[in-house]
Structure formats: structure tokens, C-alpha cells
Amino acid sequence: MDLKRIVILSYEEIIERIRARYSRANKSEISRLQTIYNIVTSSTQSVEELSDVLRGLHSFYWKLIEIEFNRSNVEEALRCVTRARRLSKKFWEKYRYLILASTSRESRKVLREGRGRILSLYKRCRRHLLLLKNLIVYLQRLPSINPEEPILIVAGPPNVGKSTFVRSISTGKPEIANYPFTTKHITVGHRDYGRFKLQVIDTPGLLDRPVEEMNIIERRAIAALGELKGIILFLIDPSDQSHMDINRQFRIIENIVEVLADKPLFIGINKVDIASKERIEEALMKAEELKAKGIALNIYKLSALNREDASNVVDDIVSKCKL
Ligand SMILES: Nc1nc2c(ncn2[C@@H]2O[C@H](COP(=O)(O)OP(=O)(O)O)[C@@H](O)[C@H]2O)c(=O)[nH]1
Ligand SMILES: [Mg+2]
């Protein structure tokens, strides 16, 4: 999704731009009208590109868009601006002809009328232009994820080592992206398997609490994750660093299973380099119960700080899921 070049101006910005260029003296009526037409056209050019992007957009991105925007409002905005562009071309052609056919005294009046009609088309789209402008900024800030490719979603309570894990297994430097409606960031890493690239993301403050404690935005963000070809790796922290006892950490898994039921789930018991044997055993027993029930497909003990440990986990998940 390349949105870097897409820019749409608000109505006020369009007017500002016209004002800046219009005032130069000694211009003919025709060239003044042409200036207006050129500015409104170039300032909204991207609407066509945006329409194309949105038409081909994966449901994952649509679900993220719908966290903040109403889909029918977006469609209405596109229609309004597209219509303004079409009609302003007609007006430009019509009034150019009328100016040519008028005496020099009449032509100023004709220009005023033509200008008024073109600008009122865009004035009517004022809030739509603003919406599209905001939508583009919003889209540009979303993490770039290819929904057609497999993705490993690293979940777990805060501080278990999710971001560390993503960094450890990434072939390149992970991208840090915004996540809609939170001040939190999401780490997007990639691991190259030749045939495909596995995307690995962490989920800050998203899958780390019981569903009942989530707000509507978080629930929608999770619903968006549901659209991905996702595999879940749930990390547990059995060390003293964890603010959450092991039972509570495991209860979160049940919540995840509830909202992302169709995704294969694996459990990683992390920080084995610093956790006590007893706590690791305790975590392992709970994980084994979930495996016996068929909820977890496999269990790993690892230290996410250790690249080899972390990589072995991902490689095994890839082979178990036959990617
Ligand atoms: N000793 C040890 N520390 C770890 C391990 N994994 C993560 N940490 C540390 O735990 C802290 C939290 O890790 P972070 O990846 O930010 O956790 P997140 O909140 O789940 O993303 C950091 O200080 C990490 O260095 C591990 O396997 N062993
Ligand atoms: Mg993190």
C-alpha cells in the first residue's frame, strides 16, 4: 500500500492556494479561471488514487479503518469529491467559452459566476475533504502488514519479552509502527524463509487482558487481527520480573482463544535464563494441560534474548503449521 504520494487538501487550503496565486495582476479572465480550475483539480487529484487503493483494500485494513471512520461516510466523501471534479471540468469548459464569447465588460461578471460555481462544488465537499485528508494520514500511520502472507502474532502480558522476541528472530531491523487509537507501538519484524517471508508482530496492550476488560476499540483492533492468516505465540513470564502470577497469565490465553478461535496457538515459556526451576515447572504443567485439551499445539522453553533460542521456536512453528 503506497500512500506516501497521496495528498488531499482541505477546502480552506484550496482557497488559500487560490488566493496566493490569484492576486497577481494583469491576468486575463480566462487565465484566472484556468488558475482556479487547475488548483482545485490538482489539490484533489489523489482522490482517484485513494479510491483505487480503498477498492482493493484487504478486510484487515478496512477493519482498522472502521475503528475510526464510518465506511459509508468514506464512500460518500469519495463520491462528493469525484463529482466536484467532474462538474468543475464541465464548468471550466463552459465558462471559458462564455468568457471568449463576451465583451471585455461582461467577461468579469462571467468569470465571477464561473468561479463561484466551481468553488461552491468544493465548498459542499468541505467536511468530506477533511475526512479524506484525515483518512490518508491515518492510513499512512498504520503498520504495513501484508494480509496475504502468514503472520506470527506474539501475544502475552506486558513485559514478558514480546518485543525482544520479535527483534531476536527478525532477519532485518523491525519496523516500529503506530497502532490505531493507542499511544502504543507495534513492532513488525520479518524472517526470511526463501519461499516466503514470515511477518512477526507483537501486540502491545492488545491481547494481554481479559476480554471483559477491553474497550470497544481494542475489541475492534482484535477483530482486525482476526482477518489475518495469523498464528499466535503466547509468551509466559515465569520469572520474578512478572507483575502477574502464572495463573492470571494463563487465564489470558483462554480469552484469546475466545476471540481468535480459528488461529493455531503455541505457548512459549520465556525468561528461562532467570526464572526459578519451580516456576518454570509450574508454567510447564499448565501449558501441558492446554496442550492435552488441544488448545495449544506445542510448548517451548526459551530465552527471547537468545537469538538462537527464539529462532528455533519460530522455525518449529513454521514447520508445524506447514507454511
Ligand atoms: N533475562 C531475560 N530478560 C528478558 C527476556 N526476554 C525479555 N527480557 C527483558 O524483559 C524486559 C521486557 O521485554 P520486552 O520485550 O520489552 O517485553 P514486552 O513488553 O512484552 O514487549 C526487557 O528488559 C527485556 O530485556 C529473557 O528471555 N530473559
Ligand atoms: Mg513491547
Side-chain angles (χ1 to χ4, degrees), residues 1 3 50 54 57 65 135-142:
M1 191 166 50
L3 295 158
L50 181 63
L54 291 178
L57 207 59
I65 289 175
L135 174 64
I136 288 168
V137 173
Y138 182 82
L139 287 172
Q140 282 166 340
R141 287 198 189 141
L142 289 182

Side-chain angles (χ1 to χ4, degrees), residues 168-172 189-194 196-200 307-308 310-312 314-315 318:
S168 280
I169 58 80
S170 282
T171 322
H190 295 91
R191 189 169 170 81
D192 204 344
Y193 283 94
F196 66 93
K197 253 191 187 163
L198 182 71
Q199 307 168 94
V200 187
R307 289 182 88 94
E308 202 184 318
S311 301
N312 287 340
V314 184
D315 293 348
V318 164

Side-chain angles (χ1 to χ4, degrees), residues 27-304:
K27 276 204 179 157
S28 70
E29 274 73 22
I30 292 266
S31 74
R32 291 192 160 195
L33 193 64
Q34 169 120 52
T35 301
I36 291 170
Y37 174 66
N38 288 350
I39 290 173
V40 295
T41 306
S42 64
S43 314
T44 55
Q45 189 85 43
S46 291
V47 134
E48 286 167 26
E49 233 173 304
L50 181 63
S51 298
D52 287 346
V53 168
L54 291 178
R55 208 169 297 128
L57 207 59
H58 191 276
S59 52
F60 165 68
Y61 282 110
W62 266 117
K63 288 236 156 117
L64 289 182
I65 289 175
E66 281 165 347
I67 293 176
E68 191 156 355
F69 299 86
N70 180 311
R71 187 165 181 162
S72 65
N73 288 351
V74 172
E75 281 159 1
E76 191 191 344
L78 290 171
R79 271 198 305 278
C80 184
V81 180
T82 306
R83 176 175 176 274
R85 285 170 58 78
R86 194 181 63 241
L87 292 180
S88 60
K89 182 163 188 283
K90 281 201 166 150
F91 286 150
W92 153 237
E93 283 160 358
K94 177 178 171 188
Y95 281 89
R96 177 180 58 181
Y97 171 77
L98 288 177
I99 291 171
L100 280 173
S102 64
T103 64
S104 60
R105 267 183 51 204
E106 289 166 342
S107 65
R108 295 189 67 168
K109 190 169 151 262
V110 177
L111 165 65
R112 250 201 319 277
E113 191 181 307
R115 181 179 62 197
R117 293 188 80 176
I118 290 176
L119 291 184
S120 78
L121 288 171
Y122 288 88
K123 192 171 185 178
R124 234 174 285 155
C125 296
R126 190 186 223 142
R127 69 188 166 89
H128 301 302
L129 284 165
L130 205 57
L131 183 146
L132 295 178
K133 192 178 149 78
N134 292 336
L135 174 64
I136 288 168
V137 173
Y138 182 82
L139 287 172
Q140 282 166 340
R141 287 198 189 141
L142 289 182
S144 59
I145 287 167
N146 181 350
E148 309 296 344
E149 291 277 352
I151 183 162
L152 181 64
I153 300 166
V154 184
N159 219 41
V160 280
K162 298 182 293 295
S163 305
T164 306
F165 184 86
V166 175
R167 277 195 299 274
S168 280
I169 58 80
S170 282
T171 322
K173 194 170 178 280
E175 175 202 354
I176 312 289
N178 289 333
Y179 210 74
F181 254 162
T182 67
T183 52
K184 288 163 183 156
H185 294 93
I186 185 166
T187 316
V188 184
H190 295 91
R191 189 169 170 81
D192 204 344
Y193 283 94
R195 292 167 289 130
F196 66 93
K197 253 191 187 163
L198 182 71
Q199 307 168 94
V200 187
I201 62 167
D202 68 1
T203 52
L206 198 55
L207 294 173
D208 62 6
R209 266 163 304 143
V211 184
E212 303 80 55
E213 292 174 20
M214 292 174 187
N215 63 34
I216 183 75
I217 291 151
E218 291 168 324
R219 288 179 202 193
R220 286 185 182 177
I222 290 171
L225 288 178
E227 298 294 316
L228 297 170
K229 291 180 184 166
I231 300 163
I232 297 166
L233 171 63
F234 192 90
L235 294 182
I236 296 278
D237 180 358
S239 79
D240 295 337
Q241 282 185 358
S242 176
H243 314 302
M244 231 186 247
D245 69 51
I246 289 178
N247 280 327
R248 182 160 158 85
Q249 294 187 48
F250 271 94
R251 274 204 298 277
I252 297 171
I253 297 188
E254 290 162 27
N255 288 296
I256 290 180
V257 172
E258 212 174 287
V259 286
L260 295 171
D262 60 328
K263 312 280 185 229
L265 181 119
F266 295 83
I267 297 175
I269 297 165
N270 192 30
K271 303 196 188 179
V272 293
D273 56 319
I274 54 165
S276 71
K277 265 211 177 87
E278 295 73 44
R279 305 275 316 269
I280 296 173
E281 272 311 308
E282 188 190 342
L284 211 53
M285 262 171 50
K286 294 212 171 299
E288 289 292 352
E289 278 172 32
L290 293 180
K291 193 176 172 189
K293 285 188 197 159
I295 293 171
L297 296 182
N298 211 0
I299 303 160
Y300 307 96
K301 286 194 280 184
L302 72 147
S303 165

